[in-house]
Amino acid sequence: MHRTHSFHIPVMGIGFTADTPIKVAHFGIDSVISLVDDILLEKLRKMYSKKFRVPYKEITDKIDDFRAKRITAYLNLIRTCVEQKFEHIKSIPWEKNKELLDYINMLPNTSKLKIEFNNHTVNDKQFSNIKQKILDTLTLGHIDVNIMTKVDKENYKENKKLPAEYNDAHAALRGFANSKLNASVVLSAGLNPRLFSYMAKFNDFFPDANGDFKKQIILKVSDYRSALIQGKFLAKKGLWVSEYRIESGLNCGGHAFATEGYLLGPVLAEFKEKRNDLQQLTQKLLFQELELQNKTLPNTSLSFKITAQGGIGTREEHNFLLEHYKLDSIGWGSPFLLVPEATTVDDKTLAQLVKAKEEDLYLSDISPLGVPFNNLKNNTKDKEKQEFIDKGRPGSSCPKKFVALNKEFKEKGICTASREYQYLKIKELDGLGLSEKHYKNAFEKIIEKSCTCVGLGTSALLAYNLDTKVEGKGVSICPGPNMAYYSSVMSLKNITDHIYGRTNIITRKDRPNVFIKELQIYVDYLKNKITETKIPMHKKDEKYLMNFTLNMKSGILYYKSLFNDRKGFFDELKSNIFKELVKYDDVLDHIYRDIKKAKIAI
């Protein structure tokens, strides 16, 4: 699949990019829809059906396989809406076609289409000869979807557990597979063997004789080892990974899957170095499996894209990553939350994002998944949570139950952010006879969890004045640390001009280089890990912390060599970059010595 732009908009939250393709795909911009919340998608389908005059019939939760059917119906509607808008661009007279001009103007300046268009004027005699060629060259942005592999709750009907194919992630996958989209599913949050195996039931994921796919697989990973393990697993099922989407472990929005100290630069370098090895190994396994399954064998070698995302914020960083690591696209996430023409954020939350500084953006433990989660201080969902705590009734009513995965107290599973779970957990805590200090710490950990599976979708409902009777009005939002350096609402033209260096919308002069910012976040994360580790520490903890520290020191050594050898990029920042690298190297030396001195439990 050819990309019109050298950037893509990753999935953000649950509702923030739920309708992004309708806003940007007709301009050739790729984006990703979360498939977590079928209830939200059904509400949006009703709204957009009316807007685009498409017949609508409600899919209630009373019908069989309603979750998958809702997702299929929504994705098919998105495709219809996007195609309508795209055909509209191509059919309007050129003299009055503002959207076509917007399409062309937002392209990178290196685009052949843009250069050819700008070489002529609408009144130029030769222009009429190239009009059709230009129209034929226009392409739609990809309408991709995201499935968090671990959000795969089992479901029940009349207290009887349904087969695994009705689990949430399985149903979401089926909903996508049965849709008319020619697109990709982004699999995030790691390996889910049962879900990955289930994908092999759908023919659209298999190649034809030309090596083309109706539906493709994108793996979101934080390091090469994870990509290799998952890529091999899928290949042994006859499934090909068409893109490895590398995300910084901590310098990102949403859930943060920290590596063991492996920094983005060295990770990208490993992918660059081992790209051919990965292709040859996985293709060999794939072709063997396709032969065993008596499936069509492509008559050509298969390829995959490698992309990166997480904290990129300037044209120079964007171009450097593309060029130096031979990447196919760069993900720009958090800044797009300030672009109403691309994402869906309610006005109150938008105003909070505009004002957000470094101290307002933090890595929290509020996620019921038990994974660190990037959060915005004083968001309305956390305020709502605090109100329940103040009333002596901590926890959410858990109206949607998408993350009801904990089975400590019930076979069906309940969410750790729910009132039911927190009541039972506090009751258990009361019987442990802990000291006041230890009780308070344990209590705080229980009530810290927030109902993010609802909060991350509510913003879209508020933005469109849709019913929030079930959800309430509390909004969770999950920008990455990079949000601190953007301080105004932007148009789609503003942000694309910024990405391609035609303007600069960052007014602050103190924004760190993307690699340095990630290093800083990882050092803070390591310090917190050490603080949380009990003394005397176990040998396992000591080994983990020492390896983490050494991996980061290895990363710093890599960056020193990179910035010393590479000319033509970051020249004005190099002096400060080297100072920061030396500073954090010293910090890690002290940390390493402290770990070695720590008492080890026998």
Side-chain angles (χ1 to χ4, degrees):
M1 291 184 188
H2 169 72
R3 278 192 164 102
T4 305
H5 287 272
S6 60
F7 73 89
H8 60 271
I9 304 174
V11 69
M12 284 184 277
I14 291 173
F16 306 118
T17 57
D19 58 344
T20 293
I22 291 181
K23 300 181 178 189
V24 305
H26 58 296
F27 291 124
I29 298 171
D30 302 345
S31 60
V32 187
I33 299 168
S34 167
L35 298 186
V36 167
D37 190 346
D38 60 286
I39 302 167
L40 170 66
L41 299 185
E42 182 67 11
K43 288 182 178 183
L44 291 176
R45 184 170 75 90
K46 183 178 181 181
M47 181 191 79
Y48 275 115
S49 293
K50 184 177 180 181
K51 184 174 180 180
F52 283 83
R53 298 179 181 177
V54 176
Y56 169 79
K57 184 180 179 183
E58 184 183 3
I59 300 172
T60 73
D61 58 7
K62 301 293 186 285
I63 71 168
D64 181 54
D65 205 21
F66 66 88
R67 175 171 167 81
K69 287 173 181 173
R70 282 175 173 173
I71 288 168
T72 299
Y74 183 71
L75 296 178
N76 287 343
L77 175 70
I78 290 280
R79 179 177 181 249
T80 298
C81 297
V82 166
E83 287 178 350
Q84 272 189 35
K85 295 183 81 169
F86 191 55
E87 289 308 312
H88 181 69
I89 287 181
K90 293 164 82 170
S91 63
I92 298 176
W94 286 50
E95 297 79 8
K96 302 174 183 177
N97 201 335
K98 180 185 178 298
E99 287 190 311
L100 176 62
L101 286 174
D102 289 343
Y103 187 113
I104 301 292
N105 288 334
M106 283 191 280
L107 293 172
N109 293 344
T110 53
S111 162
K112 290 180 182 177
L113 171 61
K114 187 172 188 174
I115 292 166
E116 186 161 16
F117 184 89
N118 288 336
N119 281 340
H120 301 275
T121 66
V122 175
N123 298 318
D124 190 332
K125 288 181 181 179
Q126 295 180 35
F127 194 74
S128 58
N129 299 327
I130 66 159
K131 279 170 65 173
Q132 194 55 48
K133 182 183 175 184
I134 287 174
L135 288 176
D136 291 342
T137 309
L138 301 182
T139 55
L140 277 171
H142 302 163
I143 306 168
D144 295 329
V145 303
N146 178 259
I147 294 175
M148 283 192 75
T149 56
K150 301 296 169 63
V151 183
D152 196 22
K153 173 178 64 71
E154 296 167 341
N155 287 303
Y156 290 74
K157 190 172 184 179
E158 297 173 355
N159 289 320
K160 185 178 178 183
K161 187 160 80 169
L162 294 170
E165 66 193 63
Y166 288 94
N167 288 8
D168 277 1
H170 284 66
L173 178 67
R174 183 165 59 257
F176 168 66
N178 290 335
S179 76
K180 295 174 184 175
L181 288 182
N182 184 356
S184 302
V185 57
V186 182
L187 299 170
S188 61
L191 177 64
N192 179 337
R194 188 160 59 180
L195 179 68
F196 284 15
S197 300
Y198 181 60
M199 294 182 79
K201 291 187 178 291
F202 301 98
N203 288 329
D204 279 7
F205 289 111
F206 290 94
D208 63 17
N210 298 319
D212 295 325
F213 300 80
K214 287 184 179 177
K215 301 224 170 24
Q216 298 189 345
I217 298 168
I218 297 174
L219 276 183
K220 187 158 81 170
V221 295
S222 295
D223 58 47
Y224 181 80
R225 181 174 174 272
S226 174
L228 180 63
I229 290 169
Q230 293 182 72
K232 284 170 64 178
F233 185 96
L234 286 164
K236 288 174 183 177
K237 305 294 177 185
L239 300 167
W240 181 250
V241 177
S242 295
E243 179 182 327
Y244 291 91
R245 186 162 287 187
I246 305 156
E247 184 171 75
S248 167
L250 290 176
N251 192 15
C252 59
H255 287 94
F257 295 89
T259 64
E260 291 187 13
Y262 298 113
L263 302 174
L264 183 62
V267 169
L268 292 175
E270 187 172 11
F271 271 92
K272 179 183 175 182
E273 179 191 341
K274 297 178 179 176
R275 186 172 192 155
N276 289 337
D277 294 343
L278 181 61
Q279 189 277 336
Q280 289 171 17
L281 174 60
T282 50
Q283 181 175 284
K284 183 181 177 183
L285 293 171
L286 178 91
F287 281 16
Q288 287 171 352
E289 182 60 28
L290 291 176
E291 210 163 0
L292 281 172
Q293 292 186 34
N294 203 25
K295 297 272 189 187
T296 301
L297 269 177
N299 53 30
T300 182
S301 280
L302 299 178
S303 62
F304 53 71
K305 293 180 171 67
I306 296 181
T307 65
Q309 58 197 43
I312 296 99
T314 67
R315 174 199 60 82
E316 192 171 30
E317 291 172 356
H318 179 90
N319 288 349
F320 176 78
L321 293 178
L322 286 172
E323 185 182 317
H324 186 75
Y325 296 108
K326 309 301 179 192
L327 301 179
D328 297 283
S329 179
I330 303 296
W332 283 68
S334 295
F336 270 97
L337 290 171
L338 295 176
V339 184
E341 292 173 24
T343 56
T344 304
V345 182
D346 64 283
D347 289 342
K348 188 172 182 179
T349 307
L350 196 60
Q352 286 182 287
L353 291 174
V354 166
K355 295 175 183 174
K357 299 290 184 283
E358 286 93 339
E359 60 270 19
D360 301 310
L361 304 159
Y362 71 107
L363 198 61
S364 73
D365 288 317
I366 68 167
S367 172
L369 289 176
V371 177
F373 182 81
N374 280 292
N375 198 25
L376 173 69
K377 282 183 184 174
N378 297 317
N379 67 72
T380 52
K381 195 66 182 176
D382 282 355
K383 285 183 177 179
E384 182 186 275
K385 177 183 75 173
Q386 191 58 49
E387 286 171 9
F388 289 137
I389 293 168
D390 293 343
K391 289 176 182 174
R393 299 185 72 226
S396 159
S397 61
C398 198
K400 294 189 173 178
K401 296 181 169 52
F402 293 123
V403 199
L405 303 169
N406 184 283
K407 294 189 174 183
E408 282 179 72
F409 301 107
K410 278 188 171 184
E411 176 57 31
K412 274 191 182 181
I414 48 181
C415 178
T416 57
S418 71
R419 189 166 297 142
E420 181 183 15
Y421 174 85
Q422 294 188 8
Y423 169 79
L424 292 169
K425 197 68 180 172
I426 291 167
K427 189 177 177 184
E428 179 185 78
L429 183 65
D430 289 341
L432 295 179
L434 299 177
S435 67
E436 185 178 345
K437 179 185 174 183
H438 286 105
Y439 179 92
K440 186 181 177 186
N441 287 340
F443 182 83
E444 290 294 333
K445 284 186 181 296
I446 294 168
I447 65 170
E448 186 175 14
K449 303 302 179 191
S450 181
C451 183
T452 51
C453 87
V454 170
L456 289 170
T458 303
S459 191
L461 298 176
L462 294 173
Y464 294 129
N465 293 312
L466 298 176
D467 178 37
T468 58
K469 194 187 301 178
V470 172
E471 294 86 355
K473 294 187 183 297
V475 172
S476 304
I477 186 126
C478 50
N482 205 25
M483 177 59 75
Y485 308 105
Y486 296 85
S487 54
S488 63
V489 175
M490 297 172 277
S491 68
L492 192 55
K493 183 180 184 303
N494 291 154
I495 187 68
T496 52
D497 282 350
H498 176 74
I499 291 169
Y500 294 132
R502 296 187 286 257
T503 189
N504 178 21
I505 53 180
I506 297 178
T507 55
R508 288 178 57 173
K509 304 296 183 188
D510 59 344
R511 180 186 175 277
N513 170 271
V514 59
F515 293 139
I516 298 300
K517 182 67 177 179
E518 186 199 41
L519 174 59
Q520 171 201 322
I521 297 166
Y522 261 100
V523 168
D524 290 342
Y525 180 83
L526 175 60
K527 286 177 178 177
N528 288 334
K529 279 286 182 191
I530 291 169
T531 302
E532 290 168 6
T533 304
K534 292 177 182 176
I535 302 296
M537 68 172 69
H538 291 286
K539 196 75 180 170
K540 182 182 174 184
D541 293 329
E542 182 203 32
K543 184 180 177 182
Y544 168 79
L545 294 171
M546 289 179 79
N547 283 342
F548 198 110
T549 307
L550 291 173
N551 288 336
M552 288 183 66
K553 282 184 66 62
S554 176
I556 289 174
L557 192 63
Y558 166 83
Y559 284 140
K560 285 178 177 177
S561 173
L562 174 72
F563 288 114
N564 189 54
D565 296 344
R566 189 67 206 242
K567 310 300 179 189
F569 282 98
F570 312 120
D571 291 336
E572 293 178 13
L573 302 171
K574 275 187 181 176
S575 173
N576 192 52
I577 285 172
F578 278 111
K579 283 179 187 174
E580 293 293 300
L581 290 173
V582 170
K583 180 181 84 174
Y584 286 116
D585 205 15
D586 288 344
V587 169
L588 289 169
D589 280 340
H590 282 98
I591 287 173
Y592 188 79
R593 285 196 291 270
D594 289 344
I595 295 169
K596 288 193 79 171
K597 286 179 190 172
K599 290 182 180 178
I600 307 299
I602 298 170

